[in-house]
């Protein structure tokens, strides 16, 4: 008998309608089949429910008085499979939500780490974004107040390499502080249609300036060329 048929025997086995020989063969299969073990546990509740219907008022451990038809077993299998698919879709939605947090980049990372690096801010994340009309570079900045200043996350796209860049926080009094530095590979970051380089750069850093003290952020190359300015 095929493995697929053995998988389908789980319903009949759970309801106690397999003959002794088939039950023995199924038990041998069950010992090495995690799928059938899971399905068997799912059928346990169905068996007690059907038993109660077959013997109203009797205990849940009473077996069915009549042998279920093959059609009934197929329908039971379909119902259990439908339930498993529904749970699978629910799990996929949770995975998608987690993926969305990852794709959201530093803003999400900052939001999920209110106590990181000894911070004692109020938890508010401020977000700013801009596209440079000349270079075409796009950048998004997420800022969270910390006890020591500001935690800053940056997301950068449409930038070609090779380059070495830095994110600068510029204070309202003109003071400049380097938030973080990084290298851009030859293929660049966030380049649509460039295989292996479609994803934007995402990184984090910090500045001693507080949010209210920052006028703007600038992404520059280390030789001083400004790629994009993000007003705060």
């Amino acid at each position: 008998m095929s493995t697929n048929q053995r998988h389908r025997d789980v319903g009949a086995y759970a309801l106690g309608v397999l003959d002794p020989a088939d039950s023995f063969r199924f038990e041998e299969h069950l010992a090495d089949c995690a799928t059938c073990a899971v399905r068997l546990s799912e059928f346990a509740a169905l068996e007690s429910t059907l038993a109660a219907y077959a013997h109203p008022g009797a205990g849940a451990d009473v077996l069915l008085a009549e042998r279920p038809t093959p059609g009934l077993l197929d329908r039971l299998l379909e119902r259990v499979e439908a339930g498993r698919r529904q749970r699978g879709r629910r799990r996929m939605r949770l995975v998608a939500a987690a993926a969305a947090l990852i794709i959201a980049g530093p803003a999400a990372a900052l939001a999920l780490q209110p106590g990181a690096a000894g911070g004692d801010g109020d938890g508010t994340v401020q977000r700013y974004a801009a596209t440079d009309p000349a270079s075409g570079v796009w950048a998004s900045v997420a800022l969270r107040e910390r006890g020591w200043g500001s935690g800053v996350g940056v997301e950068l796209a449409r930038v070609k390499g090779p380059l070495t860049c830095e994110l600068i926080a510029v204070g309202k009094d003109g003071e400049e502080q380097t938030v973080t530095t990084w290298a851009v590979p030859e293929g660049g970051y966030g380049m649509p249609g460039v295989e292996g380089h479609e994803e934007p750069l995402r990184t984090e850093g910090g500045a001693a300036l507080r949010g209210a003290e920052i006028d703007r952020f600038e992404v520059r190359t280390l030789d001083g060329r400004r790629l994009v300015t993000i007003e705060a």
Side-chain angles (χ1 to χ4, degrees), residues 173-190:
D173 61 356
E175 179 185 359
E176 296 185 357
Q177 295 184 5
T178 300
V179 175
T180 185
T181 62
W182 63 87
V184 179
E186 185 173 354
Y189 284 111

Side-chain angles (χ1 to χ4, degrees), residues 148-196:
W148 41 263
S150 300
V152 181
V154 61
E155 186 172 353
L156 187 71
R158 303 176 199 146
V159 58
K160 298 179 181 179
L163 293 172
T164 303
C165 302
E166 59 185 349
L167 178 67
I168 304 295
V170 182
K172 293 180 178 178
D173 61 356
E175 179 185 359
E176 296 185 357
Q177 295 184 5
T178 300
V179 175
T180 185
T181 62
W182 63 87
V184 179
E186 185 173 354
Y189 284 111
M191 301 297 293
V194 181
E195 185 176 357

Side-chain angles (χ1 to χ4, degrees), residues 14-172:
L15 296 171
V17 297
L18 288 179
D19 60 42
D22 283 338
S23 292
F24 178 77
R25 284 190 288 269
F26 177 78
E27 287 168 355
E28 287 186 322
H29 166 79
L30 183 65
D32 298 314
C33 181
T35 298
C36 283
V38 171
R39 290 181 176 179
L40 185 60
S41 66
E42 292 172 332
F43 268 107
L46 283 175
E47 180 197 359
S48 60
T49 300
L50 289 171
Y53 275 114
H55 298 273
D61 58 345
V62 178
L63 296 177
L64 290 173
E66 298 180 4
R67 183 185 183 94
T69 65
L72 174 60
L73 295 177
D74 289 341
R75 289 193 296 275
L76 289 174
L77 282 169
E78 290 171 1
R79 289 188 63 182
V80 170
E81 281 298 315
R84 296 177 79 242
R85 286 194 297 271
Q86 184 177 12
R87 288 191 293 275
R89 287 192 294 270
R90 189 178 302 116
R91 285 192 293 270
M92 287 303 296
R93 286 195 293 270
L94 292 174
V95 170
L101 288 176
I102 294 171
I103 293 170
L110 288 168
L112 290 173
Q113 301 177 49
D120 57 1
D122 63 4
T124 301
V125 177
Q126 300 171 349
R127 298 175 177 83
Y128 313 97
T131 300
D132 186 85
S135 68
V137 175
W138 173 88
S140 173
V141 170
L143 180 149
R144 176 190 284 265
E145 294 282 350
R146 301 295 192 188
W148 41 263
S150 300
V152 181
V154 61
E155 186 172 353
L156 187 71
R158 303 176 199 146
V159 58
K160 298 179 181 179
L163 293 172
T164 303
C165 302
E166 59 185 349
L167 178 67
I168 304 295
V170 182
K172 293 180 178 178

